Amino acid sequence: MERREKLYEGKAKIIYATDDPGKTILYFKDDATAFNGAKKGTILDKGVINNKVSARLFKLLAENGIESHFIEQLSEREMLARRVEIFPVEVVVRNRIAGSLAKRMGREEGPELPMTIVEYYYKDDDLNDPMINRDHVLAFNLATAEQIDEVRETALKVNEVLKNYMFERDVLLVDFKLEFGDCGGRILLADEICPDTCRLWDRQTLEKLDKDRFRRELGGVEEAYLEICRRVCGEI
Ligand code: TMP
Ligand code: ASP
């Protein structure tokens, strides 16, 4: 399958058309941004790692009955995927207090939550992706009630599968962000699942093995991404 015209370029990926109108090619870049693009940089071979980790995790989810846009990995930086119309809602699932939740609630990072939290964010860079709730999703026609309920249910299932898989590999799945899209009336999990979009801590030391190393200038960014790739994919 060959790349045709560029459909969209985001901060971390480029989406290309293919000869098949139902399929796209995702090209994973090394570009890294944080704080809605305010901080910019590159992480060496991030695109290669994020493509590989996403492919492994989308396959794992498929094995567990959760379909996604993923079809196959084409090359080091390219993934073949079903063409979807992305919902303008980012879904964040949280198992522990960290990041913006710690800030919003005035708590330290780390503790496990007594229940999983699902949050929605309106995907709009100009507005800085504000947090919204289910009513906003419905009132602003971002998705139907059936769609957002299915999205929430799928997000919780994804959490169960990924949390267990990570734990077996000595990684705590602290939180993560998912995106979904419409594929001819069907809701599909889309985008990527990788150290850019998840908080992943070493189970013993609680060392951060994800994009927070870049966001917070902790150093050892490439090493952390490689370590996650090794643990998730079994080799590099
Ligand atoms: P937050 O604590 O900053 O709200 O982030 C929650 C999770 O979502 C975390 O795993 C990182 C991920 N995330 C993204 O993938 N993209 C984003 O733009 C943001 C802000 C967070
Ligand atoms: N995706 C966000 C940005 O574009 C950053 C983040 O992941 O924190 O800057």
Side-chain angles (χ1 to χ4, degrees):
M1 187 76 58
E2 300 269 312
R3 281 185 348 213
R4 293 289 177 243
E5 79 271 16
K6 194 196 275 193
L7 297 174
Y8 175 78
E9 178 157 4
K11 298 186 199 99
K13 296 188 295 303
I14 307 173
I15 315 295
Y16 292 94
T18 66
D19 293 335
D20 183 335
K23 293 177 182 169
T24 55
I25 291 175
L26 277 61
Y27 178 89
F28 288 73
K29 303 188 282 186
D30 284 351
D31 298 351
T33 64
F35 316 115
N36 196 19
K39 178 179 165 68
K40 287 192 174 70
T42 53
I43 300 174
L44 187 66
D45 284 344
K46 173 172 89 83
V48 175
I49 292 175
N50 285 356
N51 187 24
K52 192 166 174 175
V53 169
S54 291
R56 176 69 202 105
L57 296 178
F58 281 134
K59 275 186 218 162
L60 170 76
L61 293 172
E63 287 157 18
N64 285 275
I66 303 164
E67 281 303 313
S68 73
H69 70 156
F70 175 79
I71 300 172
E72 62 173 324
Q73 194 181 334
L74 293 178
S75 68
E76 273 199 327
R77 289 177 183 273
E78 291 172 313
M79 175 187 288
L80 184 65
R82 290 181 188 85
R83 191 163 175 170
V84 300
E85 195 69 45
I86 292 282
F87 288 128
V89 178
E90 296 190 351
V91 181
V92 169
V93 180
R94 301 183 186 272
N95 296 306
R96 288 175 179 266
I97 300 176
S100 69
L101 176 65
K103 207 168 167 191
R104 188 175 314 112
M105 300 301 290
R107 302 292 181 92
E108 289 295 312
E109 290 196 311
E112 200 170 341
L113 290 158
M115 57 172 280
T116 307
I117 294 178
V118 180
E119 296 171 347
Y120 306 116
Y121 291 85
Y122 180 39
K123 206 169 142 62
D124 185 320
D125 282 344
D126 292 341
L127 300 175
N128 233 333
D129 295 352
M131 186 158 83
I132 54 174
N133 67 26
R134 185 175 179 279
D135 283 351
H136 296 95
V137 172
L138 301 185
F140 287 87
N141 265 319
L142 305 180
T144 66
E146 292 71 28
Q147 285 171 331
I148 196 66
D149 292 344
E150 187 179 335
V151 159
R152 182 187 158 89
E153 203 178 305
T154 304
L156 289 170
K157 274 193 218 155
V158 168
N159 186 41
E160 285 312 307
V161 175
L162 293 188
K163 199 169 56 169
N164 292 335
Y165 186 81
M166 293 294 178
F167 195 74
E168 287 164 6
R169 283 152 186 81
D170 275 338
V171 175
L172 297 178
L173 179 63
V174 172
D175 56 33
F176 57 96
K177 184 263 299 178
L178 298 176
E179 297 195 26
F180 291 82
D182 182 298
C183 181
R186 221 168 122 219
I187 296 161
L188 276 186
L189 176 61
D191 197 46
E192 59 184 323
I193 308 178
C194 61
D196 273 13
T197 62
C198 302
R199 280 199 176 89
L200 304 164
W201 294 354
D202 181 86
R203 184 175 155 188
Q204 263 88 38
T205 64
L206 303 186
E207 188 191 356
K208 296 181 196 312
L209 299 172
D210 56 60
K211 196 177 168 189
D212 271 349
R213 301 206 73 85
F214 169 79
R215 294 187 188 101
R216 303 178 189 189
E217 308 214 0
L218 300 175
V221 184
E222 278 88 0
E223 291 79 359
Y225 276 67
L226 268 174
E227 183 58 27
I228 286 301
C229 192
R230 279 193 209 99
R231 294 198 202 179
V232 169
C233 303
E235 33 75 54
I236 178 77

